[in-house]
Every structure is written in C-alpha cells, then in structure tokens.
C-alpha cells in the first residue's frame, strides 16, 4: 500500500478524540480532542506532533460531531495532513460494543452499521456516540475504507463457563445477557506486549492484565486468548473504579428500590457515577487519594484498601482460572503510575510467586518494564497501554489485506 496513514477516531457522546498515525513506523503525526460538543463552551485542542509545534486550542461553540470532525480536518490541513490526502489509508473507529457478532475488526458498510445499531440496547451510552462518529466520517470521506475496532472483540474467545451468568438461559438469550467484557483493545495490546517483554511468543504465556484507569478491568489471557474478564454485560461489573462500584450483591439494587425508594435511573447513576473511589471518599483521582492518605485521611485510606482488596481477589481468581501464570501486567493511568497500588495488590502473595522489588517499582517511565525481583516465579510488569496504536494497527492490517 502506498497510503500509510491511519486516522483513529474515538467518538463519545460529547467528545471526539483523534490521532493520526503513520504506519510505516507507528509514529504519531497529530493528536487532539474536541470536548463539550453541542455546548457553547466547546473546545478543540490539537497537537501537531509531526512538526513538533505547540498545541493549538480553539474555544467556541461546535454544534455537533459533523462540525467537530470538519474542525479537526481543518487543523490537520494546516499541518499539511488533511483528510483529503492520498496518504490517508483508512479511518479506524473505536466501537465499544460489538456483542457476540463482531469477533474481529471489520470494514464498515451499511450492514455493519445496522448491526452496531442493533446492539444499542446493551450499550445505550456508547454505541450511539460511536455511530455518530462513523456516520460523520463516512459522509466526509465516503470513498475511504473505514474500520470498526470493537472493545468487546478480544473477549469473544471466553468459554461459555466464564461468559454465561447462572440464570435461565432462555431469559439470558432473549435479552442477550452475558459477560461481554470491555477494554479489549487494551487487554489485547498489553498481553501481547507483556509476552514481548518476557521475550516469548504470546501463544506460550499466561498473563493476568490489570487495566486500571478511571474505568478498570482485569482479564485472564491464556496463550494470547482471553479466557475471563471482570466487566460483564456492561462496564459496571468487577473491580472498584473511579466512579463505578464494580461487584456488589445484585440484591442491593432491589433493596435500594424497595426500601430506599430510589428509581432505576437513580440507582444507575449512583452505581455508575457516584460510587467507586469517588463514592467512598469524594475523590476518584489516585494521586489525590494518595496525598490525602499521607495527611492521615481515614476515608481515603479505607477507599484505597477497598480498591486494593478487590484487585487482589481478582488476581487470585484469575490465577486459579489460568492454573499457571507467567506475568501480572499493570496498565492505564493508575496501573502505570501508582506504585503503591502495585505494591499493595501483590503484598502477601509470595506464596503464589508474586512480589515487587521496591526500587524497581518506584522507577517511573513510559517503557514496558518488570518490577518484580529476578528471583520471582511470576513477573510483575508495568506495560503502558496504547489503544490508539492498536486500533491503527488492526485497521491498517485489515485494509492492507483487502487491497
Ligand atoms: P481513562 O479510563 O479515563 O482512560 P486513564 O487510563 O487515563 O483513564 O487513567 C486516569 C486515572 O489514572 C486518573 O483518574 C488517576 O486516578 C490515575 N493517574 C494518572 N496519573 C497518575 C499518577 N501519576 N499517579 C497515580 N494515579 C494516576
């Protein structure tokens, strides 16, 4: 292929994140974000990485995603990287929910759009926003291949024993209730990068990936294939997150409705937006929580302990699921930066061959690295995630195959 650039779009309900990559060397040519689309106070921040120039910010109303993408296209044109360039090979779209249907990245056509639409009931917040991005980009460059890369795809290899909930399968099937899992692009990238860090083939290693960002999820990856993950029908299940509760007794919901008099929408908001670290102590940023702990704040200390306790339970559970584990990989904002979380999560797990070396763990950096002692049976690794690169790589590979 002569065209080597891929534009990656991550379209949220009121935001549009983008990166333009050159796949010859996976370098980033430009990156940016449009925020608060549809409001008076929209903002576009564009960083021309290829030229090393300063970031440009523009404030002012941007009515919709169409206007947002046109503004992005204009910024890219100013850098000589316009979307009309023959060097642009494809656009890769992050799509949150691909259900059981999409097990791989897929070239977008009308049938694919219809299927993503059909999945809206199981991803009411995300899929409509992703679809808006797809429609907008297709209107702008109808001739260009556009690829959907699904957050759920990596998890479609899970066995039924992990993916099924223990409820009547007729009801589950009617409403498409099962464990789908999310952050799959990150789990795929990080599990592969961890194998590389160990100098082994992905097929030969078992990895527990802990993606700890504002949203957080764990996965058990056997020989490059996902066999279990902590998020479920929606991203609410599993680990304690920035604002989501993660696991709880489902009867809490009946209790809040029947005894607490709360509506379903109120409970939804409580568990998704006002729980987790934020619900426990009023902060969802791990940096702030650590600062408060250093000052002796008890609510912050308890929130940290609850967060770590849940993490440790999942490490143990996935250890048992995998049988043998070669590495535990920490990634995303908290996983990559919060040494105390890594240390606390594996504390006391020497019996499982897990430990961190305090000096290695304290070193900061943006490269994949091992933070366990050389003598440890299981490597503890910090592996920065790169979802945009993974989306671009998958998009480019697929488009290359089809041309
Ligand atoms: P998102 O899920 O929004 O993509 P990120 O992966 O960027 O999230 O992670 C964001 C979170 O990472 C922040 O809310 C904060 O808790 C945490 N974080 C970022 N930098 C640091 C740091 N230096 N130390 C501790 N935690 C950090």
């Amino acid at each position: 292929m002569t065209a080597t650039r891929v534009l990656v779009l991550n379209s949220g309900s009121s935001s549009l994140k983008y990166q333009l990559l050159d796949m010859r060397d996976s370098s980033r040519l430009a990156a940016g974000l449009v925020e608060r689309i549809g409001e008076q106070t929209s903002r576009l921040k564009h960083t021309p990485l290829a030229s090393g120039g300063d970031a440009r910010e523009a404030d002012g109303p941007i009515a919709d995603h169409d206007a947002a993408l046109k503004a992005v296209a204009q910024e890219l044109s100013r850098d000589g990287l316009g979307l009309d360039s023959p060097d642009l090979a494809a656009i890769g779209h992050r799509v949150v929910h691909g259900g059981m249907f999409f097990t791989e990245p897929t070239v977008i056509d009308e049938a694919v759009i219809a299927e993503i639409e059909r999945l809206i009931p199981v991803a009411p917040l995300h899929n409509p926003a992703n679809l808006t991005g797809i429609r907008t980009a297709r209107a702008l460059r109808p001739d260009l291949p556009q690829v959907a890369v699904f957050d759920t795809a990596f998890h479609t290899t899970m066995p039924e024993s992990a993916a099924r909930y223990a409820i009547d399968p007729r009801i589950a099937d009617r409403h498409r209730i099962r464990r789908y899992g999310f952050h799959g692009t990150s789990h795929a990238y990080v599990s592969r990068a961890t194998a590389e860090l160990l100098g082994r083939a992905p097929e030969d290693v078992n990895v527990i990936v802990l993606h700890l960002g504002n949203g957080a999820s764990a996965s058990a990856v056997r020989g490059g294939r996902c066999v279990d993950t902590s998020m479920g029908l929606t991203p609410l299940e599993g680990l304690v997150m920035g604002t989501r509760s993660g696991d709880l007794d489902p009867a809490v919901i009946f209790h809040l409705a029947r005894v607490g008099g709360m509506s379903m929408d109120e409970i939804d908001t409580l568990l998704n937006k006002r729980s987790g670290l934020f619900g426990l102590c009023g902060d969802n940023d791990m940096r702030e929580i650590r600062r408060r702990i250093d000052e002796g704040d008890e609510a912050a200390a308890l929130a940290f302990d609850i967060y770590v306790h849940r993490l440790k339970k999942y490490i143990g559970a996935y250890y048992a699921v995998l049988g043998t584990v070669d590495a535990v990989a920490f990634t995303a904002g908290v996983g990559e930066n919060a040494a105390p979380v890594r240390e606390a999560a594996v504390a006391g797990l020497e019996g499982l061959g897990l430990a961190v070396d305090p000096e290695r763990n304290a070193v900061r950096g943006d490269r994949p690295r091992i933070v366990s002692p050389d003598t440890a049976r299981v490597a503890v690794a910090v592996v920065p995630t790169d979802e945009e690169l993974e989306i671009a790589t998958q998009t480019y590979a697929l488009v290359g195959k089809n041309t």
Side-chain angles (χ1 to χ4, degrees):
M1 260 192 307
T2 47
T4 57
R5 290 180 195 152
V6 174
L7 178 69
V8 176
L9 291 183
N10 182 353
S11 179
S13 54
S14 65
S15 68
L16 181 69
K17 287 190 209 148
Y18 63 95
Q19 281 194 13
L20 183 69
L21 292 97
D22 188 334
M23 300 318 291
R24 281 176 300 189
D25 55 1
S26 304
S27 63
R28 255 154 266 250
L29 304 173
L33 165 69
V34 188
E35 289 174 290
R36 296 189 292 278
I37 297 171
E39 294 177 33
Q40 288 303 310
T41 57
S42 317
R43 162 171 295 181
L44 190 160
K45 183 174 179 191
H46 175 86
T47 310
L49 298 162
S51 61
D54 290 336
R56 302 194 288 268
E57 285 188 23
D59 291 312
I62 296 180
D64 52 24
H65 282 75
D66 187 43
L69 187 60
K70 282 185 179 140
V72 169
Q74 227 164 36
E75 289 299 331
L76 288 167
S77 290
R78 282 177 65 182
D79 301 328
L81 300 167
L83 297 188
D84 48 1
S85 161
D87 290 332
L88 188 62
I91 300 180
H93 295 267
R94 175 186 182 216
V95 180
V96 168
H97 217 309
M100 287 305 290
F101 189 81
F102 294 110
T103 58
E104 291 181 339
T106 306
V107 175
I108 297 168
D109 58 19
E110 287 303 324
V112 169
I113 290 178
E115 188 58 33
I116 297 172
E117 218 158 32
R118 231 168 53 80
L119 288 162
I120 287 176
V122 285
L125 297 179
H126 295 105
N127 275 26
N130 302 155
L131 276 169
T132 306
I134 289 172
R135 290 205 171 98
T136 307
R138 270 165 59 92
L140 204 65
R141 281 296 309 267
D143 54 317
L144 198 67
Q146 311 225 4
V147 173
V149 178
F150 299 92
D151 265 25
T152 45
F154 183 62
H155 303 303
T156 55
T157 53
M158 271 187 294
E160 288 294 279
S161 54
R164 286 260 177 197
Y165 293 110
I167 60 172
D168 183 338
R170 287 165 302 185
I171 293 177
D173 289 345
R174 189 179 320 142
H175 300 290
R176 285 187 284 181
I177 295 170
R178 60 188 282 123
R179 176 180 309 289
Y180 293 102
F182 299 89
H183 293 143
T185 312
S186 176
H187 287 284
Y189 176 86
V190 170
S191 56
R192 236 183 23 243
T194 305
E196 203 172 299
L197 180 67
L198 300 182
R200 295 167 65 183
E203 302 78 57
D204 296 337
V205 294
N206 292 350
V207 187
I208 297 171
V209 178
L210 303 169
H211 176 110
L212 311 177
N214 214 356
S217 64
S219 69
V221 183
R222 173 180 290 134
R225 289 164 70 84
C226 177
V227 292
D228 204 352
T229 194
S230 59
M231 284 178 166
L233 171 73
T234 77
L236 182 56
E237 194 180 346
L239 300 174
V240 176
M241 310 183 207
T243 66
R244 297 189 197 118
S245 62
D247 294 336
L248 43 73
D249 179 346
V252 169
I253 295 163
F254 321 143
H255 187 80
L256 287 171
R258 290 184 190 133
V259 181
M262 291 174 73
S263 70
M264 276 304 150
D265 283 347
E266 284 169 339
I267 299 171
D268 191 327
T269 303
L270 173 73
L271 299 181
N272 274 297
K273 303 221 166 93
R274 295 200 286 114
S275 295
L277 292 169
F278 176 77
L280 286 164
C281 74
D283 269 308
N284 59 345
D285 192 315
M286 194 51 84
R287 286 165 286 203
E288 189 57 20
I289 289 170
R290 291 303 309 172
R291 195 190 58 72
R292 284 173 54 186
I293 292 172
D294 289 343
E295 286 176 353
D297 186 316
E298 285 180 14
L302 181 58
F304 183 85
D305 289 347
I306 294 170
Y307 183 94
V308 167
H309 179 76
R310 184 82 52 84
L311 202 51
K312 196 174 275 196
K313 282 207 318 200
Y314 270 92
I315 294 173
Y318 288 172
Y319 207 118
V321 166
L322 290 169
T324 57
V325 177
D326 298 290
V328 174
F330 286 85
T331 195
V334 175
E336 292 167 29
N337 295 299
V341 169
R342 298 192 294 261
E343 186 182 333
V346 303
L349 301 185
E350 294 81 6
L352 299 178
L354 281 163
V356 296
D357 175 294
E359 273 175 34
R360 288 183 179 175
N361 193 37
V363 175
R364 303 183 63 85
D366 51 14
R367 306 283 311 153
R369 58 199 182 274
I370 289 173
V371 297
S372 45
D374 292 335
T375 50
R377 258 191 296 131
V378 179
V380 178
V382 179
V383 180
T385 193
D386 196 337
E387 288 165 280
E388 289 78 15
L389 175 60
E390 180 69 15
I391 292 171
T393 304
Q394 294 191 14
T395 298
Y396 194 61
L398 184 59
V399 170
K401 234 188 298 180
N402 289 352
T403 49

